[in-house]
Amino acid sequence: MKKVVFSVTKAGKNSNRVSGVGYVTDEDLLIPMISKNGKAYIRIFED
């Protein structure tokens, strides 16, 4: 895994932007997130 800086933008009317530091595997981007309840989880963007 390689450590990377990322910025992901969701297109559309309610565009959301997420940026920070994550990790890239062979094909996926893994980023740490915090839920509305305050619990940590890993979000995976495939391809």
Side-chain angles (χ1 to χ4, degrees):
M1 282 196 285
K2 290 188 178 185
K3 192 174 189 179
V4 296
V5 176
F6 70 91
S7 179
V8 178
T9 304
K10 181 180 177 184
K13 192 173 186 181
N14 298 327
S15 62
N16 295 332
R17 180 176 161 186
V18 179
S19 60
V21 178
Y23 295 91
V24 173
T25 62
D26 291 332
E27 296 181 6
D28 301 332
L29 171 64
L30 310 172
I31 61 171
M33 299 288 292
I34 298 178
S35 69
K36 292 179 182 177
N37 298 345
K39 295 183 181 182
Y41 67 98
I42 302 295
R43 187 167 180 185
I44 300 172
F45 291 95
E46 296 178 353
D47 268 346

